[in-house]
Amino acid sequence: MKRILCILFALILAFSSFSCGEPQVNADETAAPDESVGPEEPMITPNPASSEIDGAATPEELYELIALFEEAGDDLSVYRAALKLAALAPGDTKAYALAADALMCMTKDCFTEINVLLEAGATSATDAEAIVAWAQSASPELAFELPFTPDYASSDQINVEGTTAGNLTSGALRINGEWRGGFLTSQAGWIYFARIDENFALYKMRTDGGALQRIGTARGFSLNVVGDWIYYADLDDGSRIYKIRTDGSMRTKLSEDACSFLSVSEGFLFYDSGFLYKQNIETGERVILWETMPILPCVSGNYVYSMEKSERGGLWRIPVEGGAPEKLSDGAVRAYCIHGGALYYILDADPYAVWSIPVEGGSREVYRGEEELSAINFVGDGLYVCAGRYLAEEGMIVGGVIFQIDIGTNEIQSAIDARTIPLCAVGDCLFYMEYTEGMAWHGLNPGSEKEINMTPAELEETAGTQEPGDAVPVPEPVALTAAADIPASLAPGETSADAYIAAADALCSLAQSYYAEINRILAAGYANAEAGEIMLWAEKNRAAYRIDAPLLPGEINTVGITAGNMTNAAKLFGGWWYEGLLTWQGDWVYLTRPDENFAIYRMRADGSEYGRMGETHGHSLNALGSWVYFINLDDGEKPYRMRLDGGGLEKLTDDACAFLSVAGDSLYYHNANDGGCLYRVKIDGSGSLKLNDMTTMFACVYGDWVYFEEKSLEGGLFRVSIDGGEKQTVATGNIFTYCIVGDWVYYLDHNNVYCIWRVRLDGTATENFYPCPMTLNTLNIADGTLVLPYNVVYQEDCYNVTEKFALVDMDDLSAQPRDYFEDIPFVCTGPDGRIYYMRHSEGLAWYAMDESGNVTRVGG
């Protein structure tokens, strides 16, 4: 029945379209539960302008029409005009991009309408739970499908392991204070490498230097190639783990973890990120293989080989399936490689020798020379070492010569004059970087005097595009419809959940038809125009559109953030408070990441469906209904809001502010344009009202009152009516952190950090609620549990990091607290008593603890 309704809706649509801009919305999205909310009317009435398009005879005329259609927001006409333009000029890459852009705008309209539609249905339908269930199960398949030709000829040429230990570890470089390695790897007669002299741009070429070309726009290191994919640490996203196809397309993030060394084998990632991790590439599931800091971990066969970053050092191996680590060598190891079933390595304590550990065990010395060694690898069956010391800085040694060693006679067979540290090998070819040339690559076959060209300046102009072939016919426009009339076809106040679901199904079908058409256009553009530009378009436009399960009226917040989450703040970056770093509504948690310049994310309470919200950066997060309100760091600390999918970004006032609390139809904040005084402003920007005459800190709405602190020597906690009036004193003392639960305010007085105080909302009945022997730093309350970080181990400019936190049952204060060792500056709370905190030792990465005490890292 659902499918039939979907088809009927699609058949009755008019040829009309939205603009790619966001639809206009009402300022107050928190309608009362008994109000019926109908879907919004289309923003514009599009005009396909078929006759004008048909009458255009030249590309110039079509470009003029496209500009007019874009200005009018008529995406359907842009699509049709751009396809005619591509038919007239098949080599015009922009024509394909314009058509695809228009379809992407129409796709976005579909999902915007779906979410508005579901929100209206959840408020108006008698069976709103059915709408929520549909939204939770709906996930239309939307993916770009670019033409792709593998670099290998048959499956038996595909790597099992993405790199070798010699190429990953032999000659790691310390660059800008960070260790990096894995600059070159190979598969099926192709070499893939990163150019340090070109800001780590990725390139590929055949082993003889032919077909040298840039791989997309990626920059990175720790390169691994398995099948169609290059796996690497991406320098454009904080050295997090990505994959990209060998033609430079389909760049995809695989992990939120940053790493210095990555090894890929049998469908798994092995990498360093505080510990040695193993992650399933398909599922994203990860486990810790070794609870220590690894250096240069690399898979070979059934083991991960790694050095240990500790005083004891050593070279170890750990089974890839998990198990006890086995020490292979004592002391710090400078470099190692694996060849012919044996492990070869250089010790820091004895850098003049190469040692070997055969498979059967027992180490032996295979070479000893007169010059210090810094790198090691095998080219074919020949042992090559980087010898001498041209330069040493920050623990990195640049050698002065490359020796080929006969490991049977301990004799030097040949020498190459080079100032280098990395020694990489592919078959019988040697590759190294020349330090005096800005780390430019050199490649050679030791048996030949001819050097392998690796210089981008000698690229042919066609590099990075497709091989020449027959032109592909440009697709004819198909009879696409648009999203605008589906919600309008519902009666205002419709109470049938089936009607909303059928309309949403129709919109899903439209979105899938748009993507199918985009793929047709991309395929034609790839064949007829600049393939590299088409791939770049696909990489930049792979938006992840989401269907949000709507909140039922009883789940919508009345206030956007709790006082506990507002007042747990970090004084970071320029000496100013960045507060309100996490809030929640229903089963969703919204957080900002200081380790990503305060990028805003959301996720389910269990950590699933984690994803970035838009492209902005901010703090003071408040969630109400279908909006997240925040202070926008990209626009001078002004208050903004955006929809839950990151769209609909909207400035709410020009006041620069701090400590934003949102309730009902109003914003409450410290107004930096007026000395930090407390202001109330309507969400639509009207009705500005000054509520006090002092610099306000940590303002938060509770009921009909705004609670706040004032920046003064006396300190104290106060409140004022949301409609204005005389302020009232709630508590005295040096108060920064407070929580409000029921009829009580719980707070920490920093003049006495050995107890938690509480006072009634009106400032009466002050009492010492929980005396304790710990030196407390802050507090929060998670579903009847006091969360108390204590024992400060780091302090700078009011930014404190504690050694532990304790959980205290508020109904049984005499019970023994539960202690956890975590280096945290503050703690936030979420749904179902969950606790969220950052680890200072991991660059302020977020962690979550559920009600059973299980801890997981946010984002995987």
Side-chain angles (χ1 to χ4, degrees):
M1 180 62 181
K2 188 185 295 184
R3 179 63 179 164
I4 294 172
L5 285 170
C6 176
I7 294 171
L8 288 174
F9 272 111
L11 288 174
I12 64 172
L13 292 177
F15 286 85
S16 56
S17 172
F18 268 150
S19 162
C20 196
E22 298 296 331
Q24 301 298 310
V25 293
N26 295 327
D28 185 9
E29 290 292 328
T30 56
D34 58 345
E35 292 183 88
S36 294
V37 181
E40 300 170 14
E41 293 295 322
M43 187 168 64
I44 61 170
T45 304
N47 176 13
S50 299
S51 59
E52 294 178 84
I53 297 170
D54 292 342
T58 66
E60 291 74 19
E61 292 176 276
L62 287 164
Y63 270 117
E64 289 178 5
L65 283 177
I66 288 169
L68 293 173
F69 297 148
E70 286 180 329
E71 185 177 354
D74 187 354
D75 298 312
L76 188 57
S77 294
V78 171
Y79 152 74
R80 298 179 66 186
L83 278 193
K84 182 169 183 181
L85 174 61
L88 290 177
D92 187 344
T93 308
K94 188 176 180 181
Y96 302 94
L98 284 167
D101 280 335
L103 291 167
M104 287 293 287
C105 288
M106 294 163 68
T107 305
K108 187 173 185 179
D109 292 339
C110 284
F111 283 89
T112 299
E113 284 300 328
I114 287 171
N115 289 322
V116 171
L117 186 68
L118 296 180
E119 184 184 345
T123 304
S124 303
T126 54
D127 186 14
E129 290 79 3
I131 292 175
V132 173
W134 180 91
Q136 291 173 338
S137 63
S139 54
E141 293 292 330
L142 302 175
F144 295 147
E145 298 173 1
L146 286 168
F148 176 72
T149 303
D151 287 342
Y152 53 87
S154 61
S155 58
D156 59 1
Q157 294 180 310
I158 294 175
N159 287 345
V160 175
E161 297 165 358
T163 190
T164 66
N167 286 351
L168 180 65
T169 71
S170 181
L173 299 174
R174 189 173 179 85
I175 300 172
N176 297 326
E178 300 288 338
W179 284 103
R180 293 171 180 167
F183 304 114
L184 183 145
T185 190
S186 65
Q187 177 182 264
W190 284 88
I191 297 169
Y192 306 86
F193 59 98
R195 296 197 63 96
I196 296 177
D197 59 339
E198 200 175 313
N199 201 17
F200 292 87
L202 301 191
Y203 279 81
K204 71 177 182 180
M205 68 180 189
R206 297 193 182 277
T207 51
D208 62 1
L212 175 62
Q213 58 194 269
R214 177 78 190 271
I215 303 173
T217 59
R219 299 188 311 113
F221 58 99
S222 271
L223 308 187
N224 287 253
V225 175
V226 178
D228 300 338
W229 296 94
I230 303 169
Y231 301 84
Y232 67 104
D234 192 299
L235 284 171
D236 290 321
D237 190 14
S239 297
R240 291 177 175 85
I241 302 171
Y242 276 70
K243 68 176 182 179
I244 190 171
R245 290 204 303 198
T246 54
D247 66 356
S249 65
M250 309 306 285
R251 175 174 172 264
T252 305
K253 182 185 288 189
L254 299 178
S255 174
E256 285 295 328
D257 290 340
C259 73
S260 296
F261 304 101
L262 170 68
S263 182
V264 179
S265 177
E266 301 285 0
F268 290 90
L269 310 172
F270 299 83
Y271 60 92
D272 67 306
S273 188
F275 299 138
L276 175 61
Y277 285 95
K278 173 185 178 181
Q279 177 178 316
N280 187 303
I281 292 173
E282 291 298 322
T283 67
E285 180 183 1
R286 69 171 190 164
V287 296
I288 297 175
L289 285 183
W290 196 23
E291 291 188 353
T292 192
M293 175 70 81
I295 303 176
L296 300 169
C298 190
V299 175
S300 182
N302 296 323
Y303 293 93
V304 187
Y305 295 80
S306 179
M307 294 181 280
E308 180 182 12
K309 187 178 182 180
S310 70
E311 290 185 1
R312 65 176 179 173
L315 183 60
W316 301 70
R317 69 177 186 179
I318 304 95
V320 293
E321 298 301 328
E326 175 188 357
K327 180 179 275 191
L328 302 175
S329 172
D330 290 321
V333 172
R334 182 168 292 186
Y336 72 92
C337 66
I338 298 169
H339 178 75
L343 177 71
Y344 296 81
Y345 60 96
I346 303 167
L347 292 168
D348 257 354
D350 182 17
Y352 300 93
V354 176
W355 293 81
S356 172
I357 303 175
V359 173
E360 61 271 14
S363 63
R364 69 184 183 92
E365 184 179 288
V366 297
Y367 169 74
R368 179 170 293 278
E370 296 180 356
E371 297 191 74
E372 181 178 0
L373 307 179
S374 54
I376 182 174
N377 214 332
F378 274 83
V379 179
D381 289 324
L383 174 65
Y384 283 74
V385 296
C386 185
R389 179 180 283 216
Y390 173 78
L391 176 72
E393 56 183 17
E394 294 188 328
M396 182 182 76
I397 299 171
V398 177
V401 65
I402 301 171
F403 289 141
Q404 180 186 2
I405 306 298
D406 185 327
I407 58 177
T409 65
N410 198 33
E411 294 179 352
I412 298 173
Q413 294 182 310
S414 64
I416 301 168
D417 185 32
R419 270 60 55 192
T420 189
I421 180 170
L423 294 179
C424 297
V426 176
D428 292 328
C429 297
L430 173 70
F431 299 92
Y432 62 92
M433 298 182 202
E434 176 56 58
Y435 182 85
T436 61
E437 298 175 8
M439 304 306 290
W441 277 103
H442 289 258
L444 58 89
N445 184 324
S448 169
E449 294 182 358
K450 184 178 180 181
E451 186 167 327
I452 299 170
N453 172 51
M454 300 179 74
T455 306
E458 298 178 17
L459 287 173
E460 297 178 3
E461 291 184 0
T462 56
T465 64
Q466 76 285 353
E467 294 293 330
D470 295 333
V472 172
V474 175
E476 290 289 331
V478 296
L480 293 176
T481 55
D485 287 350
I486 291 180
S489 67
L490 296 175
E494 173 67 65
T495 60
S496 169
D498 286 343
Y500 288 96
I501 290 171
D505 269 328
L507 288 164
C508 283
S509 293
L510 281 180
Q512 288 171 313
S513 69
Y514 297 157
Y515 258 69
E517 182 63 4
I518 289 171
N519 285 328
R520 283 206 315 148
I521 292 167
L522 294 181
Y526 188 92
N528 298 335
E530 291 291 332
E533 292 298 318
I534 297 296
M535 285 190 288
L536 184 60
W537 184 95
E539 180 180 328
K540 289 182 176 179
N541 289 276
R542 289 194 301 128
Y545 297 118
R546 294 189 293 243
I547 295 174
D548 287 320
L551 294 170
L552 299 176
E555 297 176 308
I556 296 174
N557 285 345
T558 56
V559 178
I561 191 169
T562 66
N565 284 0
M566 168 65 77
T567 61
N568 271 270
K571 195 172 186 183
L572 305 170
F573 305 104
W576 188 243
W577 290 100
Y578 288 78
E579 75 295 327
L581 306 185
L582 182 146
T583 191
W584 55 281
Q585 178 178 241
D587 189 39
W588 284 96
V589 175
Y590 306 87
L591 57 94
T592 181
R593 293 190 52 161
D595 59 340
E596 283 190 29
N597 197 25
F598 293 91
I600 300 172
Y601 284 79
R602 71 170 185 167
M603 64 181 182
R604 294 281 185 186
D606 63 5
S608 62
E609 300 184 52
Y610 174 80
R612 178 86 183 266
M613 295 181 63
E615 298 297 326
T616 55
H617 305 82
H619 61 107
S620 264
L621 306 187
N622 286 253
L624 281 89
S626 57
W627 296 93
V628 171
Y629 299 80
F630 63 101
I631 295 174
N632 191 343
L633 292 172
D634 299 326
D635 187 19
E637 307 262 359
K638 296 181 176 65
Y640 273 67
R641 70 176 180 175
M642 61 181 165
R643 286 195 173 273
L644 304 181
D645 63 357
L649 186 65
E650 179 183 1
K651 183 192 293 187
L652 303 176
T653 173
D654 274 321
D655 291 339
C657 70
F659 310 111
L660 173 67
S661 182
V662 185
D665 64 352
S666 296
L667 315 172
Y668 301 82
Y669 54 85
H670 155 124
N671 189 342
N673 293 349
D674 188 14
C677 294
L678 179 62
Y679 270 67
R680 168 186 169 176
V681 176
K682 296 281 189 181
I683 288 172
D684 64 7
S686 66
S688 179
L689 176 65
K690 188 174 181 177
L691 298 177
N692 82 331
D693 293 312
M694 288 283 290
T695 299
T696 301
M697 299 180 67
F698 300 112
C700 196
V701 176
Y702 189 83
D704 294 330
W705 299 86
V706 191
Y707 292 78
F708 59 94
E709 300 158 24
E710 288 187 340
K711 188 176 181 181
S712 67
L713 293 175
E714 295 78 17
L717 180 66
F718 306 90
R719 71 174 187 175
V720 65
S721 167
I722 59 175
D723 295 321
E726 292 295 322
K727 73 177 180 182
Q728 300 178 6
T729 299
V730 177
T732 59
N734 183 15
I735 301 168
F736 279 105
T737 309
Y738 68 93
C739 303
I740 305 177
V741 178
D743 296 328
W744 295 90
V745 180
Y746 299 81
Y747 64 92
L748 176 64
D749 184 344
H750 285 261
N751 294 324
N752 181 359
V753 292
Y754 294 98
C755 59
I756 299 299
W757 299 82
R758 77 172 181 176
V759 62
R760 291 197 179 276
L761 297 177
D762 61 1
T764 61
T766 301
E767 65 182 36
N768 185 338
F769 177 70
Y770 182 68
C772 57
M774 301 99 73
T775 55
L776 300 175
N777 179 51
T778 184
L779 86 148
N780 214 329
I781 296 177
D783 199 17
T785 300
L786 285 174
V787 188
L788 305 176
Y790 69 96
N791 286 359
V792 173
V793 294
Y794 174 82
Q795 186 174 29
E796 181 181 351
D797 195 20
C798 295
Y799 169 61
N800 298 334
V801 178
T802 61
E803 178 185 23
K804 305 177 184 179
F805 69 85
L807 302 184
V808 177
D809 186 346
M810 296 175 69
D811 292 330
D812 186 6
L813 297 178
S814 63
Q816 183 70 22
R818 288 171 287 159
D819 267 358
Y820 297 88
F821 280 86
E822 296 287 353
D823 58 318
I824 63 175
F826 52 85
V827 64
C828 295
T829 62
D832 304 319
R834 294 174 185 267
I835 297 168
Y836 300 87
Y837 58 89
M838 294 177 180
R839 283 184 179 163
H840 177 73
S841 60
E842 297 184 27
L844 298 181
W846 277 104
Y847 277 79
M849 175 184 287
D850 65 19
E851 58 273 28
S852 300
N854 301 311
V855 174
T856 56
R857 180 166 171 160
V858 170

